[in-house]
Each structure stands twice: as structure tokens, then as C-alpha cells.
Amino acid sequence: MKLMSIPHLFHLLLFCATQTLGVRIQSDSVVGSEGVIQIELEGTVSLLCLSDGDSEPDEGLVWLRNGAMVRLMEENKKNGSRVCVTPAIQEDNGATFTCHLSSNASDSDSVTLNVTYPPPIMGSEELVVEEESVLVLQCDILANPQVSSVVWTVNGSTVDLLAGGFTLTDDGVTSQLIANSVDKSLHAASYGCLANSPLYGEFNKTFQVTVTDKVMKFPLMPIIAGVVVVCLTAILAVISRWSKIRQCCK
Ligand SMILES: *[C@@H]1O[C@H](CO)[C@@H](O)[C@H](O)[C@H]1NC(C)=O
Ligand SMILES: *[C@@H]1O[C@H](CO)[C@@H](O)[C@H](O)[C@H]1NC(C)=O
Ligand SMILES: *[C@@H]1O[C@H](CO)[C@@H](O)[C@H](O)[C@H]1NC(C)=O
């Protein structure tokens, strides 16, 4: 007996797959393993759901996005149903689209979107801060896939947190370099935030920080109140004096 050739085996498997699956999703985008479709932010993905096997050709189809029903035009429910995601937004990342026959929800096929986007790091910012105030430099690093590294530089070399009196926070969305009490000799400099995306490469933003002398803030209100009191006292003194002068002149 001859062994079944690989293509035959493949066809048999495919045949079995279509026999057990009543519906299947087709896309003009590449559907990766585990039904993941990778698209760029603002890109378009078109999904077509087809019922096959022995289901009725005019049986209705239903689309769900993350479990919620997608509203379809009546003519888009039979003999294949199409949904289109355009433009893809950040919220579409991880969204799962499921299609099934309206008569039988247990027969379904799904795809999940992987919407990729670079971190919004660019340009240059100029900051003027007063001595002894708080300096906060901020970089938005949200991206898909996540950035693999964020490096802060001062005058071109990596920031020394301890020597510079800095603290660094990073919650995966923003990275902040903070100096709680600005010192001109330590902090007046050119800063950079450098992030690396495994998919999109390097991104950087620069910050020019100028430190000004501390401005003495006069407590204006108490001064005005004080001046008013002094004037009133003086006027009262003159008035009382005047009455005395008038008395002796009588
Ligand atoms: C729904 O589909 C499943 C899987 O193909 C099948 O086992 C089941 O009998 C179907 N149910 C009905 C009501 O057709
Ligand atoms: C999305 O695609 C990116 C780039 O190929 C990949 O690094 C990441 O692991 C994917 N995410 C998921 C959830 O599949
Ligand atoms: C950075 O360079 C500027 C200009 O050369 C200099 O004035 C400043 O002191 C430097 N700052 C630090 C922290 O090295």
C-alpha cells in the first residue's frame, strides 16, 4: 500500500476542517497563527464571513465585536457578510471579531486585531524654570508593541539620577524625569528622551531647560493693609491735634 502523499493529507485535513466549521472568516490581510491580524494604526482591514458545509445558503450571519453585536445592513447578512474596520484606532487593538450563523452560535470563527503604532515622541520643547522650583520633563511612550527602552540624557550623556538629584517614573504610558528643587548649576542643560521601538526604531524628543534666579515674591496684600493702617493713624493724629489747636485758639 502506498502512503498518502503530503498534499493529499493536507487536502484531507482541510476537508475535515471545513466540515467541522460551519462558518469561516476570510481577510485580504494576513491572518497569523491563532487568528491574529496585524495592521498599522489608521489602516484598513476587511473581513468576510462565509458559511459553508451543509448549512442553508440563505441562512443569516451575525458579527460580534468583543461579544457585542455589530449592526449590519439587511443585504449584508446572507451569502457571506462583510465588515470593514477603517481607520483602525488604538481602541481596536486586541478587539476580537466573531462570526456565526444566526441560527447556531456554537459554530463560529474569530479573528483578533493587533493594531501597531509608534510612540508619539518627537520635536523639541523649551522650558524656563525658577531656581528651587520643581522641574518635570515628560515623554509619552505608549506604543504597540511596547517600547523596549527609554533613556534620558543630559547634555548628551545618560542622566545620573543620584548626582543630578532626579527621580524617574515610568508607568508604560509616560516617562517622567523630575528634579524636586532646581539648581542652576545642576539642571540648566539640554535634555533628551530616547525610546526604542522593536518595530519602528528610535524616537527622540529634546528639552532645552533654562533656569532663572528665584524671584522674591512680596506679600502684596499685607503690605497694602499695613500702609492703609499707617495712613489712617496719621490722619486721626492730625485730626485730634487740629481739634486741640482749635481749642487753644478760642
Ligand atoms: C450547532 O453547531 C454545532 C457544531 O457544528 C452542532 O454540533 C449542533 O448540533 C448545532 N446545533 C443546531 C441547533 O443546529
Ligand atoms: C502585535 O504585533 C507586534 C509586531 O509584530 C508584535 O510584536 C506583538 O507581539 C503583537 N501582539 C500581539 C498581542 O499579538
Ligand atoms: C550643559 O551644557 C551647557 C552649555 O554648554 C552648560 O552651560 C551647562 O552647565 C551644562 N549642564 C550640565 C548639567 O552639564
Side-chain angles (χ1 to χ4, degrees):
M1 201 182 82
K2 228 178 111 195
L3 270 173
M4 201 181 275
S5 69
I6 297 293
H8 274 116
L9 192 62
F10 180 68
H11 277 123
L12 184 69
L13 284 173
L14 204 66
F15 181 71
C16 291
T18 52
Q19 279 301 294
T20 51
L21 268 173
V23 294
R24 67 199 148 84
I25 294 172
Q26 282 184 353
S27 177
D28 44 9
S29 312
V30 178
V31 183
S33 61
E34 298 176 23
V36 175
I37 295 179
Q38 188 183 321
I39 46 162
E40 296 253 338
L41 191 71
E42 291 178 7
T44 296
V45 63
S46 173
L47 304 171
L48 174 64
C49 179
L50 295 165
S51 62
D52 52 20
D54 31 64
S55 57
E56 296 285 315
D58 61 344
E59 235 187 312
L61 293 164
V62 172
W63 274 103
L64 305 171
R65 182 190 184 276
N66 286 342
M69 189 98 66
V70 174
R71 235 195 277 171
L72 299 170
M73 304 288 259
E74 208 50 50
E75 63 271 21
N76 190 18
K77 288 181 180 171
K78 288 169 186 169
N79 297 321
S81 175
R82 194 179 287 279
V83 292
C84 199
V85 180
T86 184
I89 56 171
Q90 290 188 4
E91 286 70 26
D92 289 321
N93 184 39
T96 297
F97 287 85
T98 305
C99 175
H100 64 74
L101 292 171
S102 53
S103 61
N104 190 349
S106 59
D107 246 351
S108 67
D109 196 8
S110 297
V111 292
T112 300
L113 303 187
N114 180 3
V115 182
T116 63
Y117 49 92
I121 299 172
M122 64 177 105
S124 164
E125 203 177 298
E126 284 188 19
L127 288 99
V128 179
V129 288
E130 226 175 72
E131 194 124 25
E132 290 176 34
S133 65
V134 180
L135 170 65
V136 179
L137 301 179
Q138 184 170 312
C139 233
D140 296 327
I141 55 169
L142 188 65
N144 182 35
Q146 266 192 350
V147 295
S148 52
S149 66
V150 181
V151 174
W152 284 90
T153 59
V154 53
N155 278 359
S157 36
T158 308
V159 167
D160 183 337
L161 295 180
L162 208 60
F166 291 109
T167 48
L168 188 62
T169 66
D170 185 337
D171 60 3
V173 178
T174 53
S175 175
Q176 288 187 328
L177 185 69
I178 302 161
N180 278 321
S181 179
V182 170
D183 177 332
K184 193 181 255 177
S185 64
L186 274 179
H187 301 125
S190 164
Y191 295 81
C193 150
L194 258 126
N196 209 305
S197 158
L199 190 60
Y200 296 101
E202 285 220 333
F203 290 82
N204 84 81
K205 178 176 176 181
T206 58
F207 302 84
Q208 303 299 331
V209 176
T210 309
V211 179
T212 59
D213 289 332
K214 193 175 171 161
V215 178
M216 288 300 282
K217 287 192 183 71
F218 286 105
L220 207 55
M221 286 320 285
I223 289 173
I224 291 172
V227 168
V228 169
V229 169
V230 169
C231 289
L232 281 179
T233 317
I235 290 166
L236 285 176
V238 169
I239 289 173
S240 57
R241 184 92 196 183
W242 185 242
S243 54
K244 273 199 189 124
I245 292 166
R246 281 206 315 194
Q247 267 168 24
C248 69
C249 285
K250 260 194 198 164

